[in-house]
Amino acid sequence: MQPTINPDSTVLVIFGAGGDLAWRKLMPALYSLFIDHWLPDHFAIIGLDLKQLSDDEFRQHLRAGVDQFSRRGKSDDAAWKTFAAKLTFVSANFADPAAYSALAERLGKQDHDWGGTVTHIYYLATPPALMDPIAENLSQAGLANDRARARIVVEKPFGHDLASARALNQALTTIFDESQIYRIDHYLGKETVQNILAFRFANAFLEPLWDRRYIDHVQISVAEQVGVEHRGGYYEHAGALRDMIQNHLMQLLCLIAMEPPVSFEAEEIRNKKMDVLRAIRPIPPDHVDRFAVRGQYGAGRIDGQPVPAYRAEPGVAPDSRAETFAALKLYVDNWRWQDVPFYLRTGKRLAERTSEIIIQMRPAPHQSFPSAVIGEWQPNRLVFNIQPAEGILIRFQAKQPGLNMRLGPEDMRFTYKEAFETESPEAYETLLLDVMQGDATLYMRSDQVEAAWALVLPILEHWAAVAPDFPNYAAGSWGPEAGDVMLATDSRRWLLPTFASRDPKTPDVEKNG
Ligand code: BG6
């Protein structure tokens, strides 16, 4: 991880610039970087898309996105005017080599005007099928050669399964050096996710507790209240396992389970995460149901409002087999974590929007206190709330005030909101600045992507072969009963999101429905 310095002169070329990602995420992030003075003086964005738009139409469209989605609220007229002057649009067919020679000419002219060393970033905000041909065309036009200055950013999904991810890696690495390829997992750019590294490795008190002797199990829950929204077409071919677990949740697991890095160099961090992926016990193909659960939401209520079943959403087949919920039990077979279960779950249309990692400690080895003084007894727990509460919590037993000895659980909380005056940057701000600076620490390396696919492969294959009994959970619940059963067989249960100002003394058993 580099100290943040302003990047060198940069041209960012966005393939698929007329799409949703550029509108909702990339442009609001770039605009924030601009108003916070992170962009170099010489900076330009060329948007490429099949759509026919003038520069002005493109700018107006993007401004509407910034106004709607930027964390800074509506754009300021004067600032937008200066920023918009950096944006141009080119209508292009990505399969047409002529589009790339025109791009090469344009970039050459820009480089000349700016006096030489300019970083060219090719951002592929396109469907996976287009990535290979775009890379090939960039190469043919001589745009991929400069190892130090030409970079390619690849959005997820990176492949559809292990074979397609391998094929894409193969295609990209015959053209680009691995150091030029930036595979995005936007969870890694989240401030609270980066803080897991800081909390674990910049503090000494955790390390002696951070293993199988003191930790009973780990729960990683990424719960969404939204349904599939307007993305039925994509989601039908993805499902929760591909969409969230193979990438975001696996990466969270890596950050919790990895060994202390020797340095914060990109390769060192990635190596340590790779060690975790290599240590995860493969799921036996004939026992998938013991380790993985899938679900799909039926109709239900969110915040008291009725919402439709997944199968009634636009772009979704009436007999769809796509899972909107997935839960996994994984083991990391190494000295530190042997036999400590890591429970992962994610789902759409769940009861709350919250992403939380709960480290559940083992109970105190001996209870010196008579049972009469213990109220609601719970083992210690450490909680990272990734969003929306953004914070860290430690639950511990405390003497309750009074003349008698009486114990009960209490929470010690750290929240970003209270601790810091400045707002956290969006994940895409961090990631875009990193690629401009040539820092790949928060990006995925080819071996990580493939290892994560290899781990979910037996589940994908089993689920493809066996028809599911969908829908099996109501929108607004905490997912299918089978998810609870998976933990109950281990004499455990999913813990309710801890951070959402719940009284620590209320028993945190989830109620479905
Ligand atoms: C994306 C998934 O990668 O992450 C979406 O494709 C999901 O389905 C989204 O909604 C969640 O991201 P965040 O940042 O809102 O938690």
Side-chain angles (χ1 to χ4, degrees), residues 32 54 93 99 111 120 139 149 152 155 170 184 192 240 242 293 309-311 416 430 471 476 484 504:
S32 288
S54 68
N93 175 353
D111 291 2
H120 297 158
S139 163
R149 295 280 162 190
I152 186 163
E155 261 296 332
Q170 174 75 29
I184 283 226
T192 44
R242 288 189 173 91
V293 168
Y310 174 70
R311 288 176 177 182
Y416 276 62
T430 305
D484 300 341

Side-chain angles (χ1 to χ4, degrees), residues 25 156 186-187 190 222 224 226 229 231 234-235 243-244 247-248 348 353 355 387:
K25 296 286 184 191
K156 80 173 253 278
H186 80 279
Y187 264 61
K190 288 182 190 276
V222 177
E224 297 188 277
V226 291
E229 299 175 293
R231 296 164 71 222
Y234 151 76
Y235 203 81
D243 187 47
M244 298 290 288
N247 34 68
H248 307 325
K348 297 211 180 273
R353 172 181 178 250
S355 299
Q387 60 193 28

